[in-house]
């Protein structure tokens, strides 16, 4: 079946320009996460959408970053006035959090990422 | 203090060796624990969940120590294909995830 897809796979932009990154989660997954990973670093949580609840934006590094999730499916991460330190791989993941047999399950399925380079 | 901390390694081991490493977490309300594997320039993929009683999946054994707030991963009979970065993931009750920075394992022939 189709996994999580992201577009574009690579984006090179000039400092100060705005960029939009897109994520198509797995159909039926209620949770969607955005992370970024700088070279050689771990994953940095950015934002989390769960169903119709207000998103958890606690990881967004500045007000230049925003994200939307339309119709509980596709999500767009927007970075305004990009800076060189925004260069990273932006990963999207979706999941279907649930409880079963007394255990909670929240396996993250990751997209291939968008490699953003800000010149 | 970071919510999840891992020894970055690298752990360089010969084929057939056993390698083990830990991950500590700071939030005592953490509910679920996972190990993910990330190959170079690839997205992370779930390796295994970590259950309170400990669990095995083939050559991989995961343990959880709630009292000391750490999880561990042990790889037996290492294969070249086990070379990767292993990410520890901790989830709180509100489904917020925290990732460790990863432990790099390199298995040499």
């Amino acid at each position: 079946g189709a996994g999580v897809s992201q577009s574009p796979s690579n984006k090179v932009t000039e400092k100060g320009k705005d960029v939009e990154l897109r994520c198509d989660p797995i159909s039926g997954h209620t949770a969607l996460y955005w992370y970024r990973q700088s070279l050689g670093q771990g994953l940095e949580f950015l934002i989390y959408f769960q169903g119709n609840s207000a998103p958890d934006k606690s990881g967004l590094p500045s007000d230049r970053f925003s994200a939307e999730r339309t119709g509980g499916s596709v999500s767009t991460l927007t970075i305004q006035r990009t800076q060189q330190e925004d260069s990273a791989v932006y990963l999207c993941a979706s999941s279907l959090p649930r409880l079963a047999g007394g255990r909670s399950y929240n396996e993250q399925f990751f997209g291939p990422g968008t490699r953003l380079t800000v010149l | 203090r970071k919510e999840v901390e891992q020894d970055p390694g690298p752990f360089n081991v010969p084929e057939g060796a056993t390698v083990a490493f830990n991950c500590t977490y700071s939030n005592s309300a953490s509910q679920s624990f996972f190990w993910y594997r990330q190959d170079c320039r690839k997205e992370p993929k779930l390796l295994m969940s970590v259950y309170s009683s400990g669990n095995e999946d083939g050559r991989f054994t995961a343990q959880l120590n709630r009292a000391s707030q750490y999880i561990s991963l042990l790889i037996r009979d290492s294969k070249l294909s086990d070379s990767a970065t292993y990410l520890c993931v901790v989830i709180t009750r509100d489904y917020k995830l925290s990732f460790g920075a990863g432990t790099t394992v390199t298995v040499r022939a």
Side-chain angles (χ1 to χ4, degrees):
Chain A
V4 178
S5 61
Q6 291 186 246
S7 61
S9 55
N10 280 284
K11 177 71 176 178
V12 180
T13 190
E14 292 179 349
K15 178 182 172 181
K17 295 286 179 69
D18 297 352
V19 296
E20 280 192 355
L21 312 180
R22 178 187 168 105
C23 171
D24 281 90
I26 292 173
S27 178
H29 278 192
T30 56
L32 187 148
Y33 301 78
W34 281 99
Y35 303 90
R36 72 177 175 182
Q37 189 172 33
S38 301
L39 188 62
Q41 302 296 312
L43 275 80
E44 177 188 1
F45 166 78
L46 297 177
I47 188 168
Y48 158 50
F49 296 90
Q50 170 59 47
N52 296 320
S53 302
D56 178 350
K57 304 179 181 180
S58 60
L60 295 178
S62 78
D63 59 7
R64 296 186 295 105
F65 288 73
S66 62
E68 291 184 340
R69 189 179 185 193
T70 53
S73 180
V74 171
S75 178
T76 303
L77 176 69
T78 302
I79 308 173
Q80 295 178 310
R81 306 181 302 282
T82 52
Q83 304 293 313
Q84 288 182 329
E85 61 263 28
D86 299 336
S87 296
V89 175
Y90 288 81
L91 289 159
C92 172
S94 72
S95 70
L96 183 61
R98 64 200 186 280
L99 290 171
R103 286 181 172 149
S104 63
Y105 294 84
N106 192 14
E107 179 183 353
Q108 304 273 293
F109 292 85
F110 283 84
T114 294
R115 185 173 299 278
L116 175 66
T117 303
V118 182
L119 301 176
Chain B
R1 182 186 172 189
K2 291 182 180 178
E3 292 190 30
V4 179
E5 298 206 50
Q6 294 184 247
D7 181 343
F11 288 77
N12 294 307
V13 300
E15 269 190 296
T18 296
V19 60
F21 41 88
N22 293 340
C23 160
T24 59
Y25 60 95
S26 60
N27 187 343
S28 59
S30 299
Q31 187 178 34
S32 305
F33 309 88
F34 304 85
W35 283 104
Y36 275 72
R37 170 193 171 125
Q38 186 173 27
D39 293 302
C40 188
R41 299 174 76 86
K42 298 285 189 181
E43 69 273 21
K45 292 186 178 177
L46 179 67
L47 177 66
M48 60 195 300
S49 303
V50 185
Y51 300 129
S52 299
S53 53
N55 47 298
E56 280 189 14
D57 183 0
R59 298 180 293 105
F60 296 82
T61 301
Q63 299 269 358
L64 167 64
N65 185 317
R66 283 193 185 273
S68 300
Q69 294 186 196
Y70 74 86
I71 65 172
S72 63
L73 182 66
L74 182 146
I75 308 172
R76 288 188 304 277
D77 188 23
S78 302
K79 311 292 184 189
L80 294 176
S81 57
D82 295 334
S83 297
T85 297
Y86 292 85
L87 302 172
C88 166
V89 178
V90 174
I91 302 179
T92 57
R93 285 191 178 86
D94 58 357
Y95 293 116
K96 182 171 178 180
L97 280 80
S98 296
F99 279 80
T103 297
T104 299
V105 173
T106 302
V107 182
R108 61 184 189 273

